[in-house]
């Protein structure tokens, strides 16, 4: 696969998902970067902003197995990973696999599960395998988590631990579409029978596993110039020295950003990265990895505000 074919493939994926999901082009682009950079994504936004629908559509167009877990306060680790059950006919234990044994896992409202269940995902997200009763089970190279959380409702929710947040490549904020897009969505739905929304639409599969593997290999072939790598490191290190930030980003964050930059460059038809690639990805890649200090919180500053300030005062390579 060459860069031109890769661009065409990405456009086909955008077109298929865009035929069902309107007004979320930025979200679709971030998912594309994530899946080719082999990173997990956390989607945060109010209910009804197509977070779940986009995840389902992505699994359809890329022809991967799809699983969904609705996280609730009573969800146990075994409900996600699976359990060994005793078979009385064979007098042996047999693994009943949980929904995590899939390619794309939608972890819906992930912050509703207690910490014990959330921690069950740590190994899977980092190593793409799980350990059940002392035995390791691989999940495959295509394993990819799309997690959602609702920032509005706080009752019955548990904040994700920093160690888990650090395993997400991006945290994407999903907002409501603009007025005209909402009108277009209602106009399209007005011509369909009630209860037959776009969630049931059948999408054309435009990428199989072999094509996905070829896309991964193309992204792996992209090499970053030392100036780009230095720029990434300078931005990450700046988060550790800023007075408004209590805890800065990790080396894992810098490495993840470098991989995402390679994917973004390839998706735009380039075999090289530019500073604009870093600047476009740095905020969604770091906003969930920082802990703001008291001074920033008192002034009502958000992580996005602080990161924007860091970007503006860090010199980009020429």
């Amino acid at each position: 696969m060459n860069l031109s074919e890769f661009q065409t493939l990405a456009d086909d994926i955008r077109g298929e998902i865009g035929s069902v999901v309107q007004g979320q082009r930025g979200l679709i682009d971030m998912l594309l970067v994530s899946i080719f950079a082999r990173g997990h994504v956390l989607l945060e936004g109010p209910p009804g902003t197509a977070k779940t629908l986009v995840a389902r559509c992505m699994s359809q167009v890329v022809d991967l197995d799809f699983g969904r877990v609705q996280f609730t306060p009573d969800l146990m680790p075994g409900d996600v990973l699976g359990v060994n059950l005793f078979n009385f006919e064979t007098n042996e234990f047999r693994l009943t696999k949980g929904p995590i044994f899939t390619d794309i896992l939608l972890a819906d409202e992930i912050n509703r599960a207690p910490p014990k269940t959330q921690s069950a995902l740590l190994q899977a997200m980092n190593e793409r395998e799980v350990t059940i009763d002392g035995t390791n089970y691989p999940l495959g190279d295509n394993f990819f988590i799309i997690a959602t959380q609702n920032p509005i409702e706080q009752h019955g929710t548990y904040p994700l631990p920093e160690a888990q947040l650090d395993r997400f490549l991006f945290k994407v904020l999903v907002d409501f579409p603009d007025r005209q897009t909402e009108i277009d969505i209602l106009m399209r739905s007005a011509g369909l029978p009630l209860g037959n929304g776009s969630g049931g639409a059948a999408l054309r599969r435009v990428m199989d596993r072999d094509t996905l593997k070829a896309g991964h290999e193309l992204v792996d072939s992209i090499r970053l110039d030392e100036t780009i790598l230095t720029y990434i490191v300078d931005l990450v290190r700046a988060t550790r020295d800023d007075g408004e930030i209590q805890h800065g980003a990790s080396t894992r964050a810098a490495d993840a950003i470098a991989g995402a930059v390679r994917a973004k460059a390839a998706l735009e038809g380039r075999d090289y990265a530019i500073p604009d690639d870093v600047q476009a990805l740095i905020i969604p890649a770091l906003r969930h990895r920082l802990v703001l200090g008291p001074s920033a919180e008192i002034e009502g500053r958000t992580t996005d505000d602080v990161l924007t300030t860091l970007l503006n005062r860090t010199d980009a390579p020429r």
Side-chain angles (χ1 to χ4, degrees), residues 158-179:
Y158 303 84
L160 297 181
E162 282 73 16
Q164 185 166 13
L165 287 171
D166 197 37
R167 284 164 168 79
F168 284 103
L169 174 58
F170 296 131
K171 178 182 178 181
V172 182
L173 303 182
V174 186
D175 203 354
F176 295 109
D178 59 48
R179 178 176 180 272

Side-chain angles (χ1 to χ4, degrees), residues 69 71-83 113-114 116-118 120:
V69 180
F71 280 68
T72 57
D74 60 347
L75 192 74
M76 298 298 292
D79 299 327
V80 179
L81 305 181
V83 293
K116 183 177 181 180
T117 303
Q118 291 177 6

Side-chain angles (χ1 to χ4, degrees), residues 103-126:
D103 294 317
I104 297 180
L105 177 68
L106 172 60
D108 222 352
E109 295 187 300
I110 190 172
N111 57 330
R112 286 194 174 277
K116 183 177 181 180
T117 303
Q118 291 177 6
S119 65
L121 295 175
L122 292 177
Q123 181 186 14
M125 295 176 69
N126 196 50

Side-chain angles (χ1 to χ4, degrees), residues 255-273:
D255 187 54
I257 294 168
V261 166
R262 293 164 73 181
K264 188 176 189 303
L267 286 166
E268 295 188 359
R270 289 181 275 106
D271 60 358
Y272 58 92

Side-chain angles (χ1 to χ4, degrees), residues 114-188:
K116 183 177 181 180
T117 303
Q118 291 177 6
S119 65
L121 295 175
L122 292 177
Q123 181 186 14
M125 295 176 69
N126 196 50
E127 303 170 24
R128 285 181 166 79
E129 67 177 21
V130 295
T131 301
I132 303 174
D133 293 340
T135 303
N136 294 334
Y137 298 92
L139 298 174
D141 294 336
N142 297 328
F143 180 69
F144 176 55
I145 288 182
I146 303 175
T148 71
Q149 65 179 10
N150 177 359
I152 299 174
E153 190 173 1
Q154 301 300 321
H155 180 68
T157 61
Y158 303 84
L160 297 181
E162 282 73 16
Q164 185 166 13
L165 287 171
D166 197 37
R167 284 164 168 79
F168 284 103
L169 174 58
F170 296 131
K171 178 182 178 181
V172 182
L173 303 182
V174 186
D175 203 354
F176 295 109
D178 59 48
R179 178 176 180 272
Q180 185 56 50
T181 301
E182 286 194 287
I183 293 174
D184 294 341
I185 292 172
L186 266 61
M187 288 290 292
R188 185 179 63 183

